[in-house]
Amino acid sequence: MSVLNAERIKLLSTRSPWWCALLAVALPVGLTALIASQAQIDPGDNGGSVQVTQMLASLGRAVVMVMAALSVTSEYRFGTIRSTFQAVPHRTTALLAKTVVTAIPAMLIGAVVGFGSWAVFRAINSFPALALDSAEDWRAVAGQIVVYGITAVLALGVGILIRQTAGAVAVLLVYALLVEGLVGLIPKIGDDIQHWLPFFAADRFLGVQAGPPIDDLPLGPWGYLAYFAAVAAVVLTAGILSAQRRDA
Amino acid sequence: MIEAVGLTKSYGKTLAVDNLSFSVPTGRVTGFLGPNGAGKSTTMRMILGLDTPTGGSALIDGKRYRDLHQPLRTVGALLDAKWVHPNRSARAHLQWLARSNKLPAKRVDEVLEIVGLTAVANKRAGGFSLGMSQRLGIAAALLGDPQVLLFDEPVNGLDPEGILWIRKFMHRLAEEGRTVFVSSHLLSEMALTAQELVVIGRGKLISQSSTEDFVAQATENTVRVRGPRLTDLRAALAQAGVSTRDEGENLVVSGMDCADIGELAARTQTVLHELSPQRGSLEEAFMQLTGDSVEYHTEIADGPTPATLVPAGK
């Protein structure tokens, strides 16, 4: 508990997490408002669904990745990771505490983005189809909470492994925003690989983004969520193991 | 007490610390002396469990640092004053450290008061001068009121006022009965601060003794003998059990005064061109002891440096 508190003080005593949080919310919610105001959706059309309101949540997710990676790479950059390990020599404890303290704000941001995007869309374009009246609808909106949390854990793991801010952020953003989309372009095997990539999995759980119908895919929505979480856990474990072996 | 046993650290083929064994006695200030690159910082990082030794171990009161419960209560350390997030205030920096080891929040204000940073406690640490950062680092080291303190080159880069403050502070810590282990590459500084000295060069132990003994031994008086043919004299000196060493064309004799050497020279019928007593300076002695172990030699540093020798009587 005391280690968690120490990490909380660390997180809240610099300004960059606040800016990241603000950006992570403002970017997707603001752009969703813009889209909503310009949308020409035929109310009878399938396009007027709850899922449409979540199209830009992945932008906030990218900012959360930067925030999570920064929380550890900035410690390496300024040498405070050594003070951390000096105060808490059991490195797994220290890093798990950091994971919790990074994931919780990420989940809060996910909640604000998910419900915020939906609410703002609905306020501007109130179609009846936008009501949260099915399990799928709830999964698309409230699911952001879990997806943002897991995304933060994944990014933190990458941050621990790479240690440099520029490197970690570049790898995360290029991968999430470009690589996953481009893999599908590989002839023959591209699709099969893509079906097992982590953010593809996250989007299948949410049911947002265009793609093949879920029945044609290897896992169902909850299976994809478990898979996404497993990938994050593996990356975090790899990070912690390497931090234990490395000199601080 | 800190005890290093066969401590070894290698980076690839480079041996940074080579089978180093020493002990830091309780309740005294022990200087950790060596030229730059001798492995002092690496050793300190290994004591604190930040770097994993390739071989050997470092124990604090018989325990590895990693096994200490709430280590800040046992060991305080300042290895680098810049290990602070520049956008975090001095107080917040100490607060998270205090919380991590369940130290009372009021202790933060106490240590800020001790090092005289109360007035700037809420300012961001990135704007601190080196002297202020150093004080913040010392405040962090004192948080848990530990009995053992480690400081790595605490006076490096400080102005004279800052150096004096640190020096007085070390004395105060020692008077309080704490164990202080402080590294430096300046023997003159250590001679003023430390009661014990652990001297290393190229990762190897050169000596461990009290500062008094080290200085006495290091500043031992010698006699320089110069002549065209010193073979017989050298043999006679060796027979008399006096240690000699060659320094260029000269012979440096320790443990026998000029008069006796002169008589011995007469008996062995040696022609002398010079017979002069020498008193080595502290720094010169240190250079001699660690000279072979300086990692990066320069042309100037090689060979004899007469400027540092002070002939007696001049």
Side-chain angles (χ1 to χ4, degrees):
Chain A
M1 228 21 226
S2 55
V3 183
L4 277 176
N5 272 323
E7 286 297 330
R8 183 182 50 86
I9 296 174
K10 259 196 252 180
L11 181 78
L12 299 181
S13 58
T14 62
R15 251 170 292 153
S16 77
W18 293 104
W19 286 111
C20 279
L22 190 68
L23 194 65
V25 170
L27 206 58
V29 176
L31 284 173
T32 301
L34 198 64
I35 287 180
S37 67
Q38 302 300 316
Q40 302 284 328
I41 301 170
D42 177 3
D45 190 47
N46 198 26
S49 67
V50 169
Q51 281 74 17
V52 166
T53 67
Q54 302 297 312
M55 271 184 349
L56 294 166
S58 57
L59 283 177
R61 211 159 66 188
V63 181
V64 162
M65 283 198 282
V66 173
M67 186 188 84
L70 265 176
S71 78
V72 64
T73 55
S74 71
E75 286 226 28
Y76 276 103
R77 172 162 172 219
F78 297 120
T80 48
I81 193 77
R82 298 187 184 94
S83 313
T84 301
F85 291 157
Q86 216 173 294
V88 187
H90 195 261
R91 295 182 185 182
T92 308
T93 307
L95 292 170
L96 284 179
K98 189 177 275 302
T99 307
V100 172
V101 169
T102 310
I104 288 174
M107 290 166 84
L108 287 175
I109 294 170
V112 176
V113 170
F115 286 101
S117 299
W118 170 75
V120 89
F121 200 104
R122 203 167 177 228
I124 296 168
N125 260 327
S126 75
F127 301 124
L130 293 183
L132 293 175
D133 48 20
S134 72
E136 274 120 70
D137 293 346
W138 278 100
R139 209 170 62 220
V141 176
Q144 300 292 1
I145 300 171
V146 202
V147 168
Y148 270 54
I150 297 173
T151 301
V153 173
L154 179 69
L156 188 82
V158 172
I160 300 172
L161 279 171
I162 298 183
R163 287 185 282 180
Q164 264 117 29
T165 303
V169 168
V171 164
L172 283 165
L173 292 186
V174 168
Y175 177 79
L177 301 178
L178 283 174
V179 175
E180 281 216 355
L182 295 176
V183 164
L185 299 178
I186 302 172
K188 289 175 190 163
I189 52 166
D191 279 348
D192 292 330
I193 299 174
Q194 196 176 39
H195 296 167
W196 292 103
L197 297 178
F199 294 107
F200 179 88
D203 285 339
R204 293 293 85 71
F205 163 70
L206 295 166
V208 299
Q209 310 289 2
I214 195 85
D215 293 340
D216 298 348
L217 292 170
L219 297 173
W222 293 99
Y224 264 126
L225 177 70
Y227 176 73
F228 183 46
V231 171
V234 166
V235 173
L236 179 69
T237 308
I240 291 176
L241 286 178
S242 87
Q244 276 174 340
R245 297 168 55 118
R246 270 186 321 228
D247 292 337
Chain B
M1 179 160 117
I2 306 171
E3 207 167 14
V5 184
L7 210 52
T8 304
K9 180 74 185 180
S10 60
Y11 297 103
K13 281 181 184 164
T14 322
L15 262 182
V17 176
D18 186 2
N19 197 16
L20 188 60
S21 299
F22 62 85
S23 61
V24 178
T26 305
R28 315 197 72 182
V29 179
T30 300
F32 191 28
L33 196 60
N36 289 331
K40 301 187 295 294
S41 299
T42 307
T43 303
M44 286 193 152
R45 282 204 303 270
M46 287 194 284
I47 293 172
L48 293 174
L50 293 174
D51 288 11
T52 316
T54 315
S57 63
L59 300 177
I60 297 152
D61 295 332
K63 281 186 188 161
R64 289 188 315 164
Y65 188 89
R66 280 171 197 213
D67 298 331
L68 292 174
H69 179 62
Q70 298 180 346
L72 299 186
R73 293 173 186 266
T74 312
V75 186
L78 167 59
L79 294 199
D80 190 327
K82 287 289 168 198
W83 289 350
V84 178
H85 195 297
N87 292 331
R88 198 172 278 140
S89 72
R91 176 171 278 125
H93 177 69
L94 296 172
Q95 271 168 345
W96 76 257
L97 279 171
R99 191 62 68 86
S100 70
N101 276 235
K102 289 199 175 120
L103 299 163
K106 69 171 182 359
R107 182 68 189 154
V108 169
D109 293 319
E110 281 171 26
V111 293
L112 281 167
E113 188 69 47
I114 293 173
V115 300
L117 285 181
T118 309
V120 292
N122 293 322
K123 294 251 158 58
R124 46 186 289 273
F128 282 11
S129 68
L130 182 62
M132 285 157 83
S133 300
Q134 210 77 279
R135 285 169 190 238
L136 177 57
I138 289 176
L142 293 175
L143 259 184
D145 196 17
Q147 277 305 302
V148 181
L149 287 149
L150 270 73
F151 298 107
D152 193 11
E153 303 266 7
V155 301
N156 229 9
L158 290 186
D159 56 13
E161 196 194 359
I163 293 176
L164 195 66
W165 186 83
I166 297 261
R167 203 182 283 158
K168 282 184 179 161
F169 203 82
M170 300 281 153
H171 284 301
R172 183 177 145 187
L173 292 172
E175 277 161 21
E176 289 168 2
R178 295 177 210 262
T179 305
V180 182
F181 190 43
V182 51
S183 81
S184 176
H185 61 278
L186 298 171
L187 176 57
S188 51
E189 181 57 40
M190 285 295 95
L192 291 168
T193 322
Q195 298 150 302
E196 295 275 328
L197 279 182
V198 172
V199 186
I200 68 166
R202 279 209 182 168
K204 287 199 176 87
L205 184 72
I206 290 174
S207 83
Q208 166 160 25
S209 61
S210 72
T211 308
E212 238 168 48
D213 286 355
F214 183 82
V215 170
Q217 181 203 340
T219 57
E220 189 182 30
N221 292 346
T222 57
V223 178
R224 181 162 70 190
V225 185
R226 193 157 60 89
R229 211 173 151 273
L230 297 172
T231 330
D232 292 345
L233 180 62
R234 188 184 285 119
L237 284 165
Q239 213 168 18
V242 178
S243 71
T244 62
R245 65 188 154 81
D246 291 302
E247 202 182 87
E249 287 178 5
N250 304 327
L251 194 64
V252 177
V253 183
S254 45
M256 191 180 255
D257 63 15
C258 285
D260 291 340
I261 298 171
E263 294 201 6
L264 207 58
R267 232 177 293 148
T268 55
Q269 296 193 322
T270 306
V271 176
L272 293 185
H273 291 171
E274 185 187 339
L275 186 63
S276 62
Q278 311 281 321
R279 196 173 59 224
S281 75
L282 221 52
E283 294 302 332
E284 190 250 351
F286 175 51
M287 286 297 289
Q288 243 167 41
L289 269 169
T290 60
D292 293 337
S293 59
V294 175
E295 194 171 3
Y296 306 105
H297 278 282
T298 59
E299 284 291 315
I300 293 167
D302 282 346
T305 45
T308 58
L309 284 170
V310 185
K314 280 193 185 171

